[in-house]
Amino acid sequence: GENVEQHPSTLSVQEGDSAVIKCTYSDSASNYFPWYKQELGKRPQLIIDIRSNVGEKKDQRIAVTLNKTAKHFSLHITETQPEDSAVYFCAAPNYGGSQGNLIFGKGTKLSVKP
Amino acid sequence: NAGVTQTPKFQVLKTGQSMTLQCAQDMNHEYMSWYRQDPGMGLRLIHYSVGAGITDQGEVPNGYNVSRSTTEDFPLRLLSAAPSQTSVYFCASSYSRPGRGGNQPQHFGDGTRLSIL
Protein backbone atom coordinates (compact mmCIF):
# COMPACT_ATOMS: atom_id res chain seq x y z
CA GLY A 1 0.00 0.00 0.00
CA GLU A 2 0.86 3.67 -0.16
CA ASN A 3 3.34 5.15 2.31
CA VAL A 4 3.59 8.93 2.58
CA GLU A 5 6.48 10.50 4.45
CA GLN A 6 6.58 14.20 5.23
CA HIS A 7 9.54 16.37 6.28
CA PRO A 8 10.30 18.32 8.33
CA SER A 9 7.96 17.73 11.26
CA THR A 10 8.50 21.30 12.49
CA LEU A 11 9.65 24.40 10.63
CA SER A 12 10.29 27.87 11.97
CA VAL A 13 10.88 30.83 9.64
CA GLN A 14 11.02 34.61 9.88
CA GLU A 15 8.19 36.58 8.38
CA GLY A 16 8.94 37.25 4.72
CA ASP A 17 11.13 34.18 4.27
CA SER A 18 10.17 31.15 2.19
CA ALA A 19 9.10 27.76 3.57
CA VAL A 20 9.39 24.39 1.84
CA ILE A 21 7.77 21.13 2.96
CA LYS A 22 8.55 17.89 1.17
CA CYS A 23 6.64 14.63 0.88
CA THR A 24 7.60 11.31 -0.65
CA TYR A 25 5.22 8.56 -1.69
CA SER A 26 5.64 4.92 -2.61
CA ASP A 27 2.78 3.99 -4.99
CA SER A 28 3.82 4.81 -8.56
CA ALA A 29 0.13 4.69 -9.59
CA SER A 30 -0.71 7.72 -7.41
CA ASN A 31 -1.93 10.61 -9.55
CA TYR A 32 -3.38 13.20 -7.18
CA PHE A 33 -1.51 15.10 -4.46
CA PRO A 34 -3.40 17.54 -2.23
CA TRP A 35 -2.08 19.78 0.53
CA TYR A 36 -4.18 20.69 3.56
CA LYS A 37 -3.70 23.46 6.11
CA GLN A 38 -4.99 23.02 9.65
CA GLU A 39 -5.04 25.93 12.05
CA LEU A 40 -5.10 25.19 15.76
CA GLY A 41 -8.43 23.64 16.77
CA LYS A 42 -9.86 23.87 13.25
CA ARG A 43 -10.66 21.51 10.40
CA PRO A 44 -8.12 20.63 7.68
CA GLN A 45 -8.72 22.77 4.60
CA LEU A 46 -7.47 22.13 1.09
CA ILE A 47 -5.07 24.86 -0.01
CA ILE A 48 -3.71 23.46 -3.26
CA ASP A 49 -3.55 20.19 -5.17
CA ILE A 50 -1.71 18.87 -8.18
CA ARG A 51 -2.44 16.11 -10.63
CA SER A 52 0.18 13.88 -12.16
CA ASN A 53 -0.03 15.40 -15.65
CA VAL A 54 1.62 18.67 -14.51
CA GLY A 55 4.91 19.36 -12.76
CA GLU A 56 4.05 22.61 -10.98
CA LYS A 57 1.02 24.59 -9.90
CA LYS A 58 0.90 28.07 -8.34
CA ASP A 59 -1.74 30.00 -6.46
CA GLN A 60 -0.52 33.40 -5.33
CA ARG A 61 2.12 32.79 -2.61
CA ILE A 62 1.85 29.01 -2.59
CA ALA A 63 3.07 26.50 -5.14
CA VAL A 64 3.37 22.76 -5.38
CA THR A 65 5.94 20.88 -7.44
CA LEU A 66 5.79 17.21 -8.41
CA ASN A 67 8.59 14.88 -9.46
CA LYS A 68 6.97 11.61 -10.50
CA THR A 69 10.26 9.92 -11.29
CA ALA A 70 11.59 10.50 -7.80
CA LYS A 71 8.11 10.13 -6.25
CA HIS A 72 8.15 13.32 -4.28
CA PHE A 73 6.16 16.53 -4.18
CA SER A 74 6.76 19.75 -2.30
CA LEU A 75 4.83 22.73 -0.97
CA HIS A 76 6.47 26.13 -1.36
CA ILE A 77 5.22 29.19 0.53
CA THR A 78 6.85 32.51 -0.37
CA GLU A 79 6.79 35.79 1.57
CA THR A 80 5.48 34.01 4.67
CA GLN A 81 3.13 35.84 7.02
CA PRO A 82 2.15 35.09 10.64
CA GLU A 83 -1.24 33.81 9.44
CA ASP A 84 0.58 31.05 7.54
CA SER A 85 1.39 29.49 10.95
CA ALA A 86 -0.44 26.15 11.02
CA VAL A 87 0.05 22.42 10.53
CA TYR A 88 0.33 21.37 6.89
CA PHE A 89 -0.50 17.87 5.65
CA CYS A 90 0.30 16.27 2.33
CA ALA A 91 -1.59 13.25 1.00
CA ALA A 92 -1.55 10.73 -1.83
CA PRO A 93 -4.04 8.06 -2.94
CA ASN A 94 -3.52 4.45 -1.96
CA TYR A 95 -4.33 2.14 -4.85
CA GLY A 96 -2.95 -0.95 -3.18
CA GLY A 97 -4.98 -1.33 0.01
CA SER A 98 -7.83 1.17 0.10
CA GLN A 99 -8.38 1.74 -3.61
CA GLY A 100 -7.95 5.44 -4.03
CA ASN A 101 -8.47 6.64 -0.49
CA LEU A 102 -6.08 9.31 0.72
CA ILE A 103 -3.10 8.45 2.89
CA PHE A 104 -1.83 11.47 4.83
CA GLY A 105 1.63 12.44 5.93
CA LYS A 106 2.15 13.08 9.62
CA GLY A 107 2.16 16.84 9.24
CA THR A 108 4.53 19.80 9.46
CA LYS A 109 4.03 22.47 12.09
CA LEU A 110 5.02 25.78 10.51
CA SER A 111 5.71 28.74 12.76
CA VAL A 112 6.20 32.17 11.19
CA LYS A 113 7.88 34.63 13.54
CA PRO A 114 7.00 38.32 13.14
CA ASN B 1 -25.33 24.99 2.24
CA ALA B 2 -23.80 23.85 5.55
CA GLY B 3 -21.13 21.54 4.07
CA VAL B 4 -20.12 18.73 6.43
CA THR B 5 -21.72 18.85 9.89
CA GLN B 6 -20.45 16.78 12.80
CA THR B 7 -22.07 16.30 16.20
CA PRO B 8 -21.25 16.39 19.03
CA LYS B 9 -18.22 18.73 19.09
CA PHE B 10 -16.99 17.35 22.42
CA GLN B 11 -17.73 14.15 24.33
CA VAL B 12 -16.37 12.40 27.41
CA LEU B 13 -17.05 8.70 27.82
CA LYS B 14 -16.21 6.05 30.34
CA THR B 15 -14.41 2.89 29.28
CA GLY B 16 -16.90 0.34 27.95
CA GLN B 17 -19.58 2.83 26.97
CA SER B 18 -20.86 3.01 23.42
CA MET B 19 -21.78 6.05 21.39
CA THR B 20 -22.41 7.29 17.88
CA LEU B 21 -20.67 10.22 16.22
CA GLN B 22 -22.90 11.86 13.67
CA CYS B 23 -21.87 13.18 10.26
CA ALA B 24 -24.09 14.75 7.63
CA GLN B 25 -23.36 16.52 4.34
CA ASP B 26 -25.67 18.50 2.09
CA MET B 27 -23.52 18.55 -1.06
CA ASN B 28 -24.85 15.28 -2.55
CA HIS B 29 -21.41 13.73 -2.24
CA GLU B 30 -21.13 10.01 -2.89
CA TYR B 31 -17.86 9.48 -1.01
CA MET B 32 -17.69 9.90 2.76
CA SER B 33 -14.98 8.95 5.21
CA TRP B 34 -14.00 9.00 8.87
CA TYR B 35 -10.50 9.85 10.10
CA ARG B 36 -8.96 9.98 13.52
CA GLN B 37 -6.23 12.49 14.32
CA ASP B 38 -3.71 11.82 17.06
CA PRO B 39 -0.68 13.99 17.93
CA GLY B 40 2.19 13.30 15.55
CA MET B 41 0.20 10.71 13.58
CA GLY B 42 -1.54 12.75 10.93
CA LEU B 43 -4.98 11.69 9.75
CA ARG B 44 -5.69 7.97 9.64
CA LEU B 45 -8.63 6.50 7.75
CA ILE B 46 -11.07 4.48 9.86
CA HIS B 47 -13.92 3.61 7.47
CA TYR B 48 -15.23 4.97 4.22
CA SER B 49 -18.26 4.73 1.94
CA VAL B 50 -18.58 5.17 -1.82
CA GLY B 51 -22.37 5.46 -1.74
CA ALA B 52 -25.52 4.57 0.15
CA GLY B 53 -25.42 0.96 1.30
CA ILE B 54 -21.67 0.55 0.62
CA THR B 55 -19.01 0.77 3.32
CA ASP B 56 -15.48 -0.55 3.71
CA GLN B 57 -12.59 -0.53 6.16
CA GLY B 58 -9.69 1.89 6.15
CA GLU B 59 -6.35 1.73 7.93
CA VAL B 60 -7.57 1.55 11.54
CA PRO B 61 -11.10 0.06 11.63
CA ASN B 62 -10.96 -2.03 14.81
CA GLY B 63 -13.45 -0.98 17.48
CA TYR B 64 -15.60 1.07 15.08
CA ASN B 65 -18.68 0.39 12.96
CA VAL B 66 -20.30 2.45 10.23
CA SER B 67 -23.42 2.36 8.10
CA ARG B 68 -24.66 4.43 5.15
CA SER B 69 -28.41 4.24 4.79
CA THR B 70 -28.67 7.59 2.97
CA THR B 71 -26.37 9.69 0.81
CA GLU B 72 -26.36 12.46 3.42
CA ASP B 73 -25.52 10.61 6.65
CA PHE B 74 -22.53 8.53 7.70
CA PRO B 75 -22.51 7.80 11.46
CA LEU B 76 -19.53 6.26 13.26
CA ARG B 77 -20.23 3.94 16.18
CA LEU B 78 -17.87 3.09 19.00
CA LEU B 79 -18.97 -0.30 20.24
CA SER B 80 -17.14 -0.42 23.60
CA ALA B 81 -15.02 2.67 24.18
CA ALA B 82 -11.38 2.23 25.18
CA PRO B 83 -8.85 4.88 26.31
CA SER B 84 -6.88 4.22 23.09
CA GLN B 85 -9.82 5.69 21.17
CA THR B 86 -9.30 9.11 22.75
CA SER B 87 -8.77 11.27 19.69
CA VAL B 88 -10.16 13.94 17.42
CA TYR B 89 -12.47 12.47 14.80
CA PHE B 90 -13.05 14.09 11.43
CA CYS B 91 -15.66 13.24 8.85
CA ALA B 92 -14.99 14.20 5.23
CA SER B 93 -16.85 13.99 1.93
CA SER B 94 -16.23 14.46 -1.79
CA TYR B 95 -18.03 13.80 -5.06
CA SER B 96 -15.96 10.68 -5.64
CA ARG B 97 -13.06 8.79 -4.11
CA PRO B 98 -10.12 11.25 -3.99
CA GLY B 99 -7.80 9.08 -6.03
CA ARG B 100 -10.33 8.20 -8.73
CA GLY B 101 -12.89 9.80 -11.00
CA GLY B 102 -11.41 13.25 -11.43
CA ASN B 103 -9.47 13.52 -8.16
CA GLN B 104 -12.10 15.32 -6.16
CA PRO B 105 -11.00 17.34 -3.10
CA GLN B 106 -12.34 16.34 0.29
CA HIS B 107 -14.34 18.65 2.52
CA PHE B 108 -13.89 18.16 6.25
CA GLY B 109 -16.25 18.73 9.15
CA ASP B 110 -15.22 20.62 12.30
CA GLY B 111 -14.35 17.45 14.19
CA THR B 112 -15.46 15.71 17.38
CA ARG B 113 -13.07 15.78 20.33
CA LEU B 114 -13.56 12.52 22.22
CA SER B 115 -12.04 11.65 25.57
CA ILE B 116 -12.39 8.21 27.10
CA LEU B 117 -11.63 7.81 30.77
Side-chain angles (χ1 to χ4, degrees):
Chain A
E2 179 71 277
N3 183 41
V4 177
E5 295 196 357
Q6 183 172 347
H7 299 280
S9 57
T10 60
L11 180 59
S12 182
V13 300
Q14 289 294 132
E15 183 177 358
D17 287 350
S18 295
V20 181
I21 303 169
K22 182 176 177 178
C23 287
T24 61
Y25 62 97
S26 59
D27 190 341
S28 57
S30 291
N31 60 1
Y32 173 64
F33 307 93
W35 285 91
Y36 286 83
K37 176 184 180 181
Q38 186 179 30
E39 296 176 355
L40 188 62
K42 299 294 181 70
R43 69 177 76 181
Q45 291 194 300
L46 180 73
I47 55 171
I48 196 168
D49 56 15
I50 191 168
R51 290 158 175 75
S52 59
N53 57 344
V54 297
E56 183 176 8
K57 182 177 179 180
K58 289 183 179 179
D59 184 2
Q60 299 182 335
R61 293 188 298 109
I62 61 173
V64 57
T65 57
L66 171 64
N67 184 329
K68 288 210 72 179
T69 302
K71 291 192 239 176
H72 67 72
F73 57 109
S74 300
L75 178 71
H76 304 255
I77 306 174
T78 59
E79 301 174 16
T80 54
Q81 301 168 4
E83 51 264 40
D84 294 329
S85 295
V87 178
Y88 292 81
F89 293 97
C90 63
N94 178 4
Y95 293 104
S98 298
Q99 298 296 309
N101 297 299
L102 288 180
I103 301 299
F104 285 82
K106 294 183 178 180
T108 297
K109 184 177 181 180
L110 174 64
S111 300
V112 180
K113 299 179 180 179
Chain B
N1 189 332
V4 180
T5 302
Q6 289 185 238
T7 57
K9 295 189 184 304
F10 303 93
Q11 184 71 47
V12 179
L13 292 177
K14 294 181 179 179
T15 298
Q17 288 185 314
S18 62
M19 80 160 293
T20 300
L21 280 62
Q22 302 292 343
C23 175
Q25 52 89 12
D26 60 359
M27 299 172 281
N28 201 30
H29 285 170
E30 290 296 325
Y31 181 83
M32 296 186 73
S33 55
W34 277 101
Y35 294 89
R36 61 176 290 173
Q37 183 175 34
D38 303 296
M41 296 297 292
L43 293 152
R44 291 183 293 169
L45 183 66
I46 304 171
H47 285 286
Y48 67 96
S49 169
V50 297
I54 306 170
T55 64
D56 206 346
Q57 297 180 351
E59 303 169 76
V60 288
N62 292 341
Y64 307 95
N65 273 357
V66 292
S67 60
R68 185 94 179 269
S69 57
T70 67
T71 298
E72 295 78 19
D73 299 299
F74 190 43
L76 177 73
R77 282 183 288 277
L78 278 71
L79 309 174
S80 177
S84 60
Q85 294 177 303
T86 293
S87 188
V88 180
Y89 292 84
F90 286 99
C91 179
S93 74
S94 56
Y95 282 109
S96 59
R97 215 189 303 232
R100 294 192 182 281
N103 305 134
Q104 297 294 327
Q106 291 198 95
H107 301 261
F108 283 83
D110 286 332
T112 294
R113 284 148 184 82
L114 181 63
S115 293
I116 299 165
L117 307 177

